[in-house]
Amino acid sequence: MQGFTDIRTEGWIARLPPAWRPYALLARFDRPIGAWLLFLPGLWAICLAAPGWAEGGRLTLLFALGALVMRGAGCVVNDLWDRELDRRVVRTAGRPLASGAVTPVQALAFLAALSAVGLVVLLQLNATAIALGVLSLVPVVLYPLAKRVTDFPQLVLGLTFGWGAPLGYAAATGGVDGVTAALYAASIAWILGYDTIYAHQDREDDALVGIRSTALHFGERTGPFLAACYAATIALLVLAGWLAGLQWRFYVALVLPAALLARQVVALDIHDPARCLQLFKANREVGLAVALAILLGRL
């Protein structure tokens, strides 16, 4: 894995004013896959529960903006926690805080600005959704710590990134119920799987610096674990669809994301970091396919 890094300064980043570039990199604006993956559980919930197309469209736009800025805020929090460790990991050594391109004080000011935008978005929702949005800050702050104390920090990330499911459902309906629980659980199982793939990029470096992960815990047994996570994802989506009264088209359309997830299990090579990143990114299409299945089930 010598020389493998997640810092990319070409493309549209290179056209930004030089003073802006480190902040765009810090928030991972150059890599929108994280914002997509944060957004998708909320999109599932909106597709499942929105009372109409107009409200569904409004919520989708709000959640898309919220996912972009809050994913950026989460990256800032993560890099503030991990800046010393990031300097010792090949893939992360060039990150703005680890490299010194952004100071901790500057990062905190940027975090405040991102959080202010997120708050404005949150205040457009109903009271239940606002309360859930405030509660989401707990796992956001705890996730970087989890990597130091448990072999399952990916589960904590699942609780964090999957929060959009109950948040989106509450925003659409004003409350939560059994459908919410099933959809949230499906999101957590999905995230637990795909972030294990992601963690294999850093497996060797993490072992050296004391970072724990499901990738290290399962190692060569990752394939069966991944298959179990993804099987649970599909089963829980089926349960959510049944509880929500979706039509038969949902179950037929769910074959597509199930096949895409199965392909990841078959194609996984834990010793190829570039391949792991490719499979991780493929989960955007999985999430969009699930959203399409839900919409078809409501027709």
Side-chain angles (χ1 to χ4, degrees):
M1 293 195 292
Q2 184 67 32
F4 184 71
T5 177
D6 66 1
I7 298 298
R8 299 287 183 268
T9 56
E10 63 274 10
W12 68 270
I13 290 290
R15 294 193 289 272
L16 291 175
W20 294 12
R21 293 172 198 164
Y23 295 97
L25 293 170
L26 180 60
R28 316 288 200 271
F29 288 152
D30 59 316
R31 285 170 287 156
I33 183 60
W36 271 107
L37 295 175
L38 181 60
F39 166 65
L40 284 165
L43 179 64
W44 296 354
I46 294 166
C47 291
L48 188 63
W53 288 103
E55 179 62 5
R58 184 185 79 90
L59 290 175
T60 297
L61 290 174
L62 287 173
F63 271 64
L65 177 58
L68 181 65
V69 298
M70 294 315 295
R71 187 260 183 155
C75 289
V76 176
V77 171
N78 182 78
D79 288 6
L80 282 166
W81 274 92
D82 288 354
R83 62 188 184 277
E84 298 299 331
L85 291 173
D86 282 345
R87 294 188 181 110
R88 300 159 61 188
V89 176
V90 172
R91 184 177 64 84
T92 60
R95 288 179 173 176
L97 275 163
S99 67
V102 174
T103 69
V105 172
Q106 290 171 327
L108 287 170
F110 185 47
L111 175 62
L114 291 171
S115 299
V117 176
L119 179 61
V120 170
V121 171
L122 186 63
L123 291 176
Q124 309 309 306
L125 306 179
N126 59 51
T128 303
I130 290 172
L132 286 172
V134 173
L135 283 176
S136 72
L137 296 176
V138 176
V140 167
V141 172
L142 291 181
Y143 168 66
L145 177 63
K147 294 183 286 187
R148 295 162 170 82
V149 299
T150 175
D151 287 347
F152 287 82
Q154 282 67 37
L155 180 58
V156 181
L157 185 72
L159 295 170
T160 305
F161 264 52
W163 202 275
L167 184 61
Y169 198 87
T173 68
V176 294
D177 55 19
V179 178
T180 318
L183 199 63
Y184 187 33
S187 302
I188 293 169
W190 178 45
I191 295 161
L192 182 57
Y194 73 57
D195 199 55
T196 297
I197 296 175
Y198 188 83
H200 272 291
Q201 296 177 93
D202 300 329
R203 188 179 66 254
E204 296 173 9
D205 285 331
D206 284 350
L208 291 174
V209 301
I211 292 296
R212 299 162 72 174
S213 71
T214 47
L216 280 169
H217 182 84
F218 289 101
E220 298 292 341
R221 297 174 290 124
T222 294
F225 174 69
L226 186 62
C229 289
Y230 286 166
T233 301
I234 297 300
L236 288 161
L237 286 171
V238 168
L239 175 60
W242 177 73
L243 290 172
L246 295 183
Q247 300 299 309
W248 60 270
R249 289 175 292 271
F250 166 71
Y251 304 100
V252 174
L254 205 57
V255 171
L256 176 57
L260 292 173
L261 291 173
R263 176 184 173 275
Q264 291 181 35
V265 176
V266 173
L268 178 66
D269 179 356
I270 66 171
H271 303 292
D272 183 347
R275 183 63 166 164
C276 288
L277 182 60
Q278 180 187 41
L279 294 175
F280 165 76
K281 288 182 176 179
N283 282 281
R284 181 186 65 173
E285 285 67 40
V286 173
L288 289 172
V290 171
L292 176 61
I294 293 171
L295 286 175
L296 290 172
R298 291 192 67 184
L299 293 178

